[in-house]
């Protein structure tokens, strides 16, 4: 009985799981349809494809569409109307241009071949073959070099393949019209549907996207600021530790501070804050893409879209950079304090309640203060968590004031953008106002500027700590350069810089609103303004490899030389005045081994040596240059491989006796599928093959069903197509697999319409089989050619990108190290050094983006050594580490250029050897990692310690400042002079830069460890070669081991580490999973180093 009952129970549970899964997916789809006008775009796509299919099925004797009317449905896929007007204008222009160029080229080839078709057919088809070879090479070269032209080259090659494989012997008017009329008809339908049904203009989208990006940036800034400043008050509500206990116990703690700490707050984890960086980068990319896209639109608006450029590109980019720097300060705070802090008892028998009671008694001053006021020491020994918590409590009030003022101004900026660019609703759902008074701008601008000045004064006063010094009876805490002050300074200056960017945005908004008022809110017609070089260098359709995967991107080269606001050369003229010697200014003071390698794009122009040679030698030199370019061009290699693969499939069509068979069995479908599948790397080709296999199978099956439903009834066929288009278009527009949706729409339209129109004789079943077999033939040939003939592996391209990124980071370090060999004080960085740093930073980001592009494809390509999934985790961590390193270096230079650097401006003549040692250590480590990844040679056993060089530099700065203060005051009131000296803004800037420098060193050490997992290291721990596994490496870095050691020592009643009651970094499992593994390992490494330094100091 029990067995029977159990057998009946299983189907019920399975059914419930299926129903629950279906309900979940249904709710997700409904939610997705309401985002970003997705349901409107799906409606437009389905309607356009249905209309073109309906018009194609008109059976009239004089119908101009002919038997190739299925091309209209293909056109609605590649230039679909579910876009904004600017996007559609761009895509439709490219598609029609490709059709025109491909038609003209193919018609010329057919006309020339028709001259010999009667007398010498093989020669006529040879002419067609030559023209087809040229078209394929052009398609492959432009597809690889300029992904932005993907739609252009796709329509070009489709038209050429159809025309050159046709059975028509001559060029006739019917032949021309049957090809062009369906495409032109589809273009008209697409344009009409896009404009008349739910139109989306790029100018309004630009305003909406800019507001959303601004809100996302300020939301991340607010979360990061509260996480950083509010300290232990941010915790889960079920935490057993009270807010009063979590507050740092200092002598001058007030009841107001306790009350502020007891205010409930939402739990903010470091994982959530760190993940916000990727969202910010994507939002910024969307905002900048919207600005570029609006240049294509014939705008009918009050203000031109290009007027938004200073806000959406230049200021927004700087704001996002500052927010990411603030998030970096939060990550450093996590590495020092942890996320959720649990108190550790000093004695073995003390309970949590007793510890809490003792902490509360400390607040009343009955016991010794928790903050042990530290006298100035000669050397920085370790990061003191208690001192950091005390400093955080001091800056909490100034931070809250500036945050409140900045958020008010952000709301004003959002309202101004909404008014200026006709944004109907704000992200909050409220309606935008119709106008704003100019007096309001002045009030808000003045209030924010006053808040920034007040913030500067109050933070300096708070860090001086006069109240604490008086309360501590002549004792003082250490404000000399050290880890805690570095971290505080980094947060303060980057937060101040973010507020400054908001103030600049408010000024730009004032100009926009004033201009709109002067135009009396009347709409004007603004012609498109396109920067062609910039437009060609970016973008790309989802069907092609993104621009980030090109060779220039992998090597970190950028063709974009225009300024952020679209005015070419303005910033270059500011940084690079005419008559200056570029090489002398850029490389003066930079060590030779860290100087950027000169390139053709950045180096000075010079006359080629063969220009002064005789004519024959000049021709010979130019021919040598051409051959060298052909040998090194990956774009040409890809074009030749594509041409070879295509001719393996197409050659029967160029044989007179096989041409009819090739046409009747739809061999052209195999050639087209090959073009779609053949990508620039093996991994991308395999990915495209599998996705298109799913789409082709499902689409062909539905197209067969649409025809067979009523034995070819056109009305039923169109109705079935309409039903099948809805999920296919949703997959195309609303999922992360757009290729599946595209090929599904094409397949169902081609199978149904070609069978209905009898493009070639055959039933629905025959056309379905022909379509599916053609895909297998074309896709298989593409993969075989990719693997066997000069294979291009995605993982090779990814490693090449990582190496290029590391090389650019080395150049950035060289620019930061300006002056390490001068021996003189540095007043400011030369403009050319700043320009070189900006170029290297941008190129490093491009190279890292290229690595991220290729990483997903590495797991899909075949590999003899086994699965790539284990290595994929390591490379993911390397990409994260490189992103962090570039962000920290950008923060360093931005702060130095904005606020100066006290030690470099006053004491560089005394500290430059230590700066040189630090820069040299970082450079050598980066070069070692770069060569190890390039050559797969193990890392050397000994590498210079950049961390030790950094500590020596900090200790030297502390020593120099103390000597200078003593000399200035004749041994009297030295401590007060030191505080006033080191808390000047340019010294705080150096502190913040040093914090970023320390974080750079952390991530470089992590990069070395990750590289060892890939190539190994020459170490004597286990023979001459050691290569640990990722699992062993991760296990060694777990915090639980350190916590177990501390707890064991506490239970024994002793404290060998000297940490006392320092809070240990222990996170909940949910929060810990959100934190990137590299950041967790850096936290553990810092904690281990602190314990070792403590033990070493106490043993002396």
């Amino acid at each position: 009985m029990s067995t029977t009952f159990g057998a009946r129970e299983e189907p019920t549970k399975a059914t419930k799981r299926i129903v629950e899964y279906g309900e979940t997916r249904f709710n997700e789809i409904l939610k997705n349809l309401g985002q970003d006008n997705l349901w409107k775009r799906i409606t437009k796509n389905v309607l356009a494809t249905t209309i073109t299919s309906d018009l194609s099925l008109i059976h009239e004797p004089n119908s101009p569409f002919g038997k190739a009317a299925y091309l209209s449905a293909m056109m609605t896929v590649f230039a679909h109307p579910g876009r904004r007007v600017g996007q559609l204008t761009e895509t439709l222009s490219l598609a029609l241009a490709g059709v025109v160029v491909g038609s003209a080229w193919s018609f010329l080839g057919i006309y020339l071949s028709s001259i010999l078709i009667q007398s010498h057919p093989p020669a006529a088809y040879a002419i067609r073959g030559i023209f087809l070879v040229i078209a394929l090479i052009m398609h492959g070269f432009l597809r690889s070099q300029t992904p932005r032209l993907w739609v252009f080259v796709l329509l070009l090659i489709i038209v050429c393949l159809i025309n050159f494989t046709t059975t028509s012997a001559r060029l006739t008017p019917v032949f021309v019209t049957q090809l062009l009329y369906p495409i032109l008809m589809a273009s008209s339908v697409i344009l009409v549907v896009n404009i008349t049904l739910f139109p989306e203009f790029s100018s309004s989208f630009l305003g909406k996207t800019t507001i959303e990006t601004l809100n996302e940036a300020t939301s991340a800034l607010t979360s990061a600021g509260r996480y950083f400043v509010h300290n232990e008050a941010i915790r889960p509500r079920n935490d057993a530790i009270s807010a009063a206990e979590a507050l740092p116990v200092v002598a001058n703690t007030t009841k107001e501070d306790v009350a502020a700490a007891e205010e409930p707050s939402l739990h903010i984890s470091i994982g959530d804050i760190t993940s916000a960086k990727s969202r910010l980068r994507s939002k910024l990319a969307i905002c900048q893409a919207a600005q570029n896209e609006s240049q294509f639109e014939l705008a009918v608006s009050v203000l031109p879209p290009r007027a938004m450029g200073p806000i959406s590109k230049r200021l927004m980019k700087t704001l996002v950079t500052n927010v990411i720097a603030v998030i970096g300060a939060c990550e450093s705070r996590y590495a020092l304090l942890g996320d959720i802090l649990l108190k550790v008892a000093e004695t073995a028998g003390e309970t949590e309640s007793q510890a809490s009671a003792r902490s509360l008694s400390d607040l009343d001053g009955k016991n010794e203060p928790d903050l042990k006021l530290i006298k100035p020491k000669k050397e920085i020994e370790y990061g003191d968590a208690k001192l950091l918590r005390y400093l955080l409590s001091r800056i909490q009030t100034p931070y809250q004031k500036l945050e409140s003022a900045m958020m008010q101004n952000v709301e004003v900026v959002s309202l101004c953008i909404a008014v200026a660019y006709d944004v109907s609703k704000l992200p909050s759902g409220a309606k935008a106002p119709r106008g704003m008074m100019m007096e309001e701008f002045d009030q808000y601008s003045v209030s924010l500027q006053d808040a920034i000045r007040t913030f500067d004064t109050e933070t300096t006063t708070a860090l001086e700590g006069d109240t604490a010094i008086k309360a501590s009876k002549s004792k003082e805490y250490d404000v000399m350069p050290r880890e805690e002050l570095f971290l505080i300074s980094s947060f303060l200056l980057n937060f101040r810089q973010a507020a400054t960017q908001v103030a600049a945005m408010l000024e730009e908004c004032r100009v926009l609103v004033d201009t709109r008022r002067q135009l009396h809110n009347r709409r004007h017609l603004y012609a498109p303004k396109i920067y062609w070089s910039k437009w060609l260098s970016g973008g790309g359709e989802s069907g092609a490899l993104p621009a980030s995967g090109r060779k220039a991107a992998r090597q970190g080269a950028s063709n974009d030389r225009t300024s952020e606001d679209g005015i070419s050369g303005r910033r270059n003229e500011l940084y690079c005045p005419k008559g200056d010697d570029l090489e002398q200014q850029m490389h003066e003071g930079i060590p030779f081994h860290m100087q950027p390698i000169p390139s053709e794009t950045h180096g000075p122009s010079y006359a080629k040596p063969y220009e002064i040679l005789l004519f024959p030698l000049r021709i010979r030199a130019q021919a040598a240059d051409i051959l060298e370019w052909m040998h090194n061009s990956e774009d040409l290699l890809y074009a030749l491989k594509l041409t070879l693969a295509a001719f393996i499939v197409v050659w029967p069509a160029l044989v007179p006796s096989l041409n009819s068979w090739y046409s009747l069995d739809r061999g052209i479908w195999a050639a087209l599928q090959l073009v779609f599948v053949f990508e620039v790397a093996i991994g991308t080709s395999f990915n495209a093959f599998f996705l298109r296999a799913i789409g082709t199978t499902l689409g062909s099956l539905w197209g067969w069903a649409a025809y067979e439903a009523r034995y070819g009834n056109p009305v039923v066929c169109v109705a079935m197509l309409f039903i099948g288009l809805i999920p296919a278009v949703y997959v195309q527009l609303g999922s992360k697999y757009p290729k599946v949706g595209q090929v599904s729409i094409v397949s169902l339209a081609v199978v149904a319409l070609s069978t209905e129109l009898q493009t070639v004789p055959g039933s629905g079943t025959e056309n379905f089989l022909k379509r599916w077999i053609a895909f297998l033939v074309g896709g298989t040939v593409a993969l075989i050619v990719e693997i066997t003939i000069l294979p291009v592996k995605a993982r090779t391209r990814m490693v090449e990108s990582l190496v290029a990124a590391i090389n650019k980071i080395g150049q950035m370090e060289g620019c930061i190290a300006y002056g390490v060999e001068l021996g003189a004080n540095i007043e400011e960085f030369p403009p050319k050094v700043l320009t070189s740093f900006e170029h290297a930073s941008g190129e490093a980001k491009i190279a890292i983006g290229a690595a991220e592009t290729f990483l997903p494809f590495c797991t899909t390509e075949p590999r003899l050594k086994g699965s790539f999934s284990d290595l994929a985790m390591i490379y993911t961590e390397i990409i994260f580490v490189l992103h962090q390193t570039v962000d920290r270096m950008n923060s360093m230079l931005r702060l130095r250029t904005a606020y100066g650097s006290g030690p470099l401006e006053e004491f560089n003549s005394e500290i430059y050897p230590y700066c040189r040692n630090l820069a040299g250590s970082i450079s050598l480590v980066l070069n070692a990692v770069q060569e190890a990844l390039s050559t797969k040679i193990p890392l050397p056993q000994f590498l210079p310690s950049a961390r030790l060089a950094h500590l020596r530099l900090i200790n030297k700065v502390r020593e120099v400042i103390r000597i200078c203060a003593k000399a200035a005051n004749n041994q009297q009131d030295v401590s007060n002079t030191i505080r006033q000296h080191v808390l000047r803004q340019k010294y705080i800037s150096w502190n913040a830069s040093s914090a970023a420098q320390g974080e750079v060193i952390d991530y470089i050490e992590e990069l070395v460890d990750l590289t060892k997992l890939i190539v190994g290291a020459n170490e004597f721990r286990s023979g001459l070669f050691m290569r640990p596994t990722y699992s062993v490496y991760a296990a060694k870095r777990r915090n639980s081991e350190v916590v177990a050691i501390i707890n064991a020592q506490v239970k024994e009643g002793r404290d060998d580490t000297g940490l006392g009651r320092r809070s240990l970094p222990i996170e909940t499992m949910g929060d810990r999973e959100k934190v990137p593994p590299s950041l967790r390992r850096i936290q553990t490494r810092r904690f281990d180093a602190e314990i070792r330094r403590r033990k070493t100091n106490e043993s002396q």
Side-chain angles (χ1 to χ4, degrees):
M1 294 294 292
S2 59
T3 305
T4 306
F5 180 77
R8 293 178 180 177
E9 187 76 17
E10 291 298 330
T12 305
K13 292 182 179 180
T15 304
K16 288 183 178 179
R17 286 196 295 266
I18 294 174
V19 172
E20 291 176 357
Y21 176 79
E23 291 179 353
T24 303
R25 293 298 302 164
F26 181 75
N27 293 331
E28 291 177 356
I29 291 174
L30 288 181
K31 182 180 177 180
N32 194 20
L33 288 173
Q35 297 177 353
D36 199 20
N37 297 323
L38 180 59
W39 72 271
K40 297 180 180 179
R41 297 182 177 185
I42 292 176
T43 302
K44 291 193 288 187
N45 273 26
V46 173
L47 182 61
T49 308
T50 304
I51 292 175
T52 54
S53 301
D54 196 8
L55 294 176
S56 301
L57 294 177
I58 297 177
H59 291 285
E60 294 184 1
N62 298 325
S63 176
F65 301 128
K67 296 183 178 182
Y70 61 87
L71 293 175
S72 61
M74 296 178 62
M75 190 71 176
T76 61
V77 174
F78 302 115
H80 64 82
R83 314 169 191 254
R84 291 175 292 277
V85 175
Q87 279 184 319
L88 180 67
T89 304
E90 174 188 343
T91 305
L92 201 58
S93 300
L94 290 174
L96 293 177
V99 171
V100 171
V101 174
S103 300
W105 182 253
S106 57
F107 291 161
L108 176 61
I110 293 175
Y111 170 74
L112 294 178
S113 66
S114 65
I115 299 176
L116 300 175
I117 194 68
Q118 297 294 335
S119 59
H120 203 300
Y125 281 97
I127 293 175
R128 292 189 182 187
I130 293 173
F131 273 78
L132 182 58
V133 166
I134 297 174
L136 286 168
I137 292 177
M138 179 182 177
H139 167 85
F141 184 83
L142 293 179
R143 178 178 176 178
S144 177
Q145 186 194 47
T146 312
R148 173 74 78 174
L149 300 178
W150 158 247
V151 176
F152 168 79
V153 296
L154 177 63
L155 270 296
L156 181 147
I157 201 62
I158 288 176
V159 171
C160 288
L161 285 172
I162 292 174
N163 289 341
F164 285 130
T165 58
T166 185
T167 56
S168 299
R170 299 184 181 278
L171 187 63
T172 61
V174 176
F175 180 81
V176 175
T177 57
Q178 287 188 352
L179 177 70
L180 296 181
Y181 280 2
I183 296 176
L184 297 177
M185 179 266 292
S187 302
S188 302
V189 171
I190 291 169
L191 190 60
V192 171
V193 170
N194 180 267
I195 295 177
T196 58
L197 185 65
F198 309 126
E200 300 178 61
F201 295 100
S202 299
S203 56
S204 299
F205 174 74
L206 174 61
K208 179 182 177 182
T209 304
T210 305
I211 294 174
E212 291 177 351
T213 307
L214 177 62
N215 290 344
E216 183 75 23
T218 53
S219 175
L221 180 63
T222 302
S223 299
R226 292 176 179 175
Y227 176 89
F228 188 91
V229 173
H230 286 285
N231 207 2
E232 292 89 348
I234 298 178
R235 58 174 67 249
R237 296 184 182 274
N238 59 355
D239 201 327
I241 301 176
S242 65
E245 178 189 356
L247 190 71
V249 185
V250 294
N252 61 325
T253 303
T254 63
K255 294 181 178 180
E256 288 77 8
D257 296 327
V258 178
E262 290 178 348
E263 294 180 358
S265 59
L266 297 178
H267 173 54
I268 303 176
S269 68
I270 187 63
D272 298 331
I273 298 175
T274 302
S275 62
K277 292 194 292 186
S278 60
R279 295 196 302 270
L280 284 176
R281 294 190 184 102
S282 61
K283 279 287 186 181
L284 179 63
I286 294 174
C287 184
Q288 294 179 341
Q291 181 67 52
N292 296 331
E293 169 194 320
S294 63
Q295 308 297 332
F296 271 88
E297 185 176 283
L298 186 65
V300 182
S301 58
V302 180
L303 296 176
R306 57 180 173 271
M308 182 69 79
I311 296 178
S312 64
K313 304 190 74 174
R314 177 170 53 85
L315 294 176
M316 192 67 69
K317 178 181 179 181
T318 309
L319 176 62
V320 170
T321 302
N322 292 327
V323 174
I324 291 177
V326 173
I327 294 175
C330 293
E331 292 171 345
S332 295
R333 175 198 180 280
Y334 168 82
L336 184 59
L337 297 181
D339 200 357
I340 299 175
L341 303 174
L342 301 180
K343 296 289 183 180
V344 179
E346 286 184 344
T347 60
E350 187 176 29
T351 63
E352 284 188 0
S353 60
Q354 293 172 343
S356 177
R358 180 171 47 77
S359 298
L360 290 173
S361 65
D362 290 343
L363 285 173
D364 297 330
K366 297 180 180 179
N367 294 335
E368 294 183 0
D370 186 45
L371 175 64
K372 297 179 180 178
L373 301 177
I374 306 170
K375 286 190 175 182
K377 296 184 179 181
K378 181 179 178 181
E379 295 186 357
I380 175 173
E381 295 180 352
Y382 50 82
D384 191 344
K386 299 174 184 178
L387 176 59
L388 178 58
R389 290 198 295 272
Y390 169 70
L391 296 176
L392 290 175
S393 67
R394 300 285 296 172
I395 67 171
Q396 183 171 348
T397 301
Y399 158 77
Q400 290 175 345
K401 293 180 180 179
L402 183 57
E403 181 198 17
S404 177
M406 185 172 63
M407 290 301 106
Q408 292 178 358
N409 283 267
V410 167
E411 294 179 0
V412 175
V413 171
S414 301
L415 292 176
C416 293
I417 296 174
V419 170
Y421 283 90
D422 300 319
V423 178
S424 58
K425 288 186 179 181
L426 298 174
S428 60
K431 292 185 178 181
R434 296 184 177 181
M436 297 190 67
M437 301 295 294
M438 299 304 297
E439 292 77 7
E440 297 180 6
F441 289 98
D442 299 332
Q443 295 175 1
Y444 282 107
S445 179
V446 171
S447 65
L448 183 57
Q449 294 295 339
D450 292 342
I452 293 175
R453 285 191 291 269
T454 304
F455 179 78
D456 294 338
T457 304
E458 292 185 352
T459 52
T460 303
T461 304
L463 292 178
E464 285 182 3
D466 294 333
T467 305
I469 295 172
K470 294 177 182 178
S472 61
K473 298 180 181 180
S474 75
K475 293 184 179 181
E476 61 185 35
Y477 66 92
D478 189 4
V479 295
M480 291 284 280
R482 54 181 295 141
E483 187 174 356
E484 302 85 1
L485 200 60
F486 292 166
L487 186 54
I488 294 291
S489 302
S490 176
F491 172 79
L492 292 178
L493 288 190
N494 282 294
F495 187 78
R496 184 189 186 277
Q497 278 293 95
T500 304
Q501 297 306 315
V502 173
M505 287 184 179
L506 186 61
E507 294 297 327
E508 292 290 342
C509 288
R510 189 185 191 282
V511 175
L512 292 178
V513 174
D514 187 40
T515 305
R516 183 183 177 95
R517 183 180 58 83
Q518 294 176 1
L519 295 175
H520 304 288
N521 295 331
R522 294 176 181 174
R523 295 182 178 271
H524 295 74
L525 187 64
Y526 297 99
K529 190 174 183 180
I530 306 170
Y531 300 97
W532 293 104
S533 59
K534 187 175 182 179
W535 172 73
L536 288 173
S537 63
E541 290 292 317
S542 59
L545 184 71
S548 57
R550 293 180 299 164
K551 182 178 181 180
R554 298 196 310 271
Q555 296 180 351
S558 175
N559 296 324
D560 184 9
R561 292 292 175 264
T562 59
S563 62
E564 294 295 341
D565 56 357
I567 302 176
S568 176
R570 179 184 297 177
R571 188 177 66 183
N572 289 339
E573 291 177 3
L574 176 64
Y575 284 168
C576 308
K578 295 181 180 180
D580 292 344
D581 187 354
L582 174 64
E583 297 296 329
Q584 181 179 357
Q585 274 201 13
M586 183 184 300
H587 298 157
E588 182 180 4
I590 301 179
F592 175 78
H593 65 277
M594 290 189 294
Q595 292 180 4
I597 300 174
S599 61
E600 294 182 1
T601 56
H602 296 163
S605 58
Y606 57 91
K608 295 182 179 180
Y610 56 76
E611 290 183 356
I612 60 176
L613 300 178
L614 297 177
F615 180 75
L617 296 179
R618 191 185 310 166
I619 296 298
R620 178 182 176 184
Q622 291 178 350
D625 289 344
I626 294 174
L627 292 176
E628 183 178 359
W629 170 82
M630 294 175 62
H631 179 267
N632 297 327
S633 175
E634 294 180 355
D635 304 323
L636 183 61
L637 175 62
Y638 169 76
L640 295 176
K641 290 171 59 177
L642 175 62
T643 303
L644 175 62
F647 260 81
I648 294 176
V649 178
V650 172
W651 70 267
L654 301 177
V655 178
S657 59
L658 300 177
N659 180 263
S660 298
W661 166 82
Y662 188 85
S663 178
L664 292 176
D665 284 346
R666 308 311 292 160
I668 183 64
W669 290 348
L672 292 176
Q673 293 295 336
L674 183 142
V675 170
F676 284 116
V677 171
F678 200 95
E679 295 284 354
V680 296
I682 296 176
T684 56
S685 296
F686 269 89
N687 184 68
F689 178 82
F690 293 134
L691 293 180
R692 293 190 181 278
I694 298 173
T696 301
T697 303
L698 297 178
S700 299
L701 280 173
W702 192 263
W704 167 81
Y707 178 79
E708 296 290 341
R710 291 286 294 183
Y711 303 102
N713 188 303
V715 177
V716 177
C717 182
V718 172
M720 289 287 291
L721 290 179
F722 176 81
I723 297 173
L725 285 172
I726 296 175
V729 173
Y730 174 81
V731 173
Q732 180 188 5
L733 300 181
S735 72
K736 58 182 179 180
Y737 303 109
K739 293 181 180 180
V740 176
Q742 289 177 356
V743 74
S744 296
I745 299 172
V746 172
S747 297
L748 66 88
V750 167
V751 172
L753 296 181
S754 62
T755 307
E756 185 73 35
L757 298 174
Q758 285 297 296
T759 304
V760 292
S763 62
T765 303
E766 291 176 350
N767 280 327
F768 163 72
L769 293 175
K770 289 177 183 179
R771 175 76 179 175
W772 197 71
I773 293 174
F775 165 78
L776 290 180
V777 172
T780 304
V781 171
L783 295 180
I784 292 175
V785 172
E786 280 269 28
I787 295 174
T788 57
I789 300 178
L790 300 176
V792 177
K793 294 178 287 188
R795 53 184 180 271
T796 303
R797 297 290 189 240
M798 180 190 64
V799 172
E800 179 185 348
S801 304
L802 294 176
V803 169
I806 296 173
N807 180 33
K808 297 302 177 182
I809 291 174
Q811 294 183 17
M812 294 169 64
E813 176 62 29
C815 295
I816 292 174
Y818 171 80
V820 297
E821 291 184 350
L822 289 180
N825 295 338
I826 303 174
E827 295 297 332
E828 61 181 7
F829 283 93
K832 302 299 176 62
V833 176
L834 300 178
T835 305
S836 178
F837 179 88
E838 289 183 2
H839 288 164
S841 175
E843 292 165 356
K845 292 178 181 178
I846 293 173
I848 297 173
E852 289 178 315
T853 300
F854 282 106
L855 180 59
F857 303 115
C858 295
T859 56
T860 59
E861 62 186 10
R863 184 170 181 261
L864 295 178
K865 297 180 181 179
S867 175
F868 191 81
S869 57
D870 293 337
L871 290 176
M873 294 188 296
I874 301 175
Y875 282 113
T876 301
E877 291 300 314
I878 290 178
I879 291 173
F880 171 79
V881 166
L882 294 181
H883 266 306
Q884 298 287 82
T885 305
V886 172
D887 291 339
R888 301 309 192 273
M889 287 188 170
N890 281 327
S891 176
M892 289 174 60
L893 201 71
R894 286 184 183 276
L895 293 178
R896 286 188 183 181
T897 54
Y899 301 104
S901 179
L904 295 180
E905 295 177 8
E906 298 178 6
F907 309 122
N908 187 61
S909 58
E910 301 181 44
I911 65 173
Y912 80 91
Y914 298 87
C915 297
R916 179 175 55 195
N917 187 20
L918 174 61
S921 300
I922 294 176
S923 179
L924 288 175
V925 172
L926 289 175
N927 288 336
V929 173
Q930 179 182 341
E931 292 300 321
L933 292 176
S934 301
T935 61
K936 297 183 180 180
I937 297 177
L939 285 169
Q941 180 183 6
F942 299 107
L943 289 172
S945 174
R947 181 174 301 280
L948 181 59
H950 190 221
L951 291 175
R952 287 172 176 169
L953 172 62
I954 296 172
N955 292 328
K956 181 63 178 179
V957 172
R958 292 165 61 93
E959 178 185 350
V960 170
I961 292 176
R962 187 176 294 105
I963 293 174
C964 179
K966 289 181 179 179
N969 291 272
N970 297 323
Q971 306 295 332
Q972 296 179 0
D973 199 15
V974 175
S975 61
N976 191 30
T977 303
I978 289 177
R979 287 198 310 276
Q980 295 176 356
H981 194 79
V982 301
L983 292 178
R984 288 184 295 172
Q985 196 170 61
K986 61 182 180 180
Y987 274 84
I988 294 179
S989 173
W990 184 82
N991 291 339
S993 300
S994 296
Q997 185 74 77
E999 294 167 6
V1000 167
I1001 294 172
D1002 284 333
Y1003 286 109
I1004 288 178
E1005 291 176 349
E1006 180 69 11
L1007 179 63
V1008 171
D1009 290 341
L1010 292 171
T1011 306
K1012 289 180 181 179
L1013 299 178
I1014 299 175
V1015 299
N1018 289 317
E1019 297 186 6
F1020 297 97
R1021 192 177 307 168
S1022 57
L1024 294 179
F1025 178 73
M1026 186 192 72
R1027 184 174 181 177
T1029 61
Y1030 184 78
S1031 58
V1032 173
Y1033 174 72
K1036 289 172 61 178
R1037 295 296 182 184
R1038 290 175 182 170
N1039 286 340
S1040 57
E1041 298 179 359
V1042 179
V1043 174
I1045 295 174
I1046 302 300
N1047 289 336
Q1049 294 171 349
V1050 170
K1051 289 180 180 180
E1052 294 175 3
R1054 59 189 179 89
D1055 189 8
D1056 293 340
T1057 62
L1059 293 176
R1061 290 172 54 225
R1062 173 186 169 168
S1063 302
L1064 297 180
I1066 309 175
E1067 304 89 18
T1068 61
M1069 292 303 296
D1071 293 330
R1072 186 173 177 81
E1073 291 177 356
K1074 298 179 182 179
V1075 181
S1078 293
L1079 185 56
R1080 295 202 302 264
R1081 289 191 291 271
I1082 287 174
Q1083 179 201 33
T1084 307
R1085 187 185 292 114
R1086 283 190 178 187
F1087 195 72
D1088 292 341
E1090 179 177 339
I1091 294 176
R1092 289 195 298 268
R1093 286 196 296 268
R1094 279 277 193 173
K1095 290 182 177 181
T1096 301
N1097 293 336
E1098 292 182 355
S1099 63
Q1100 294 177 353

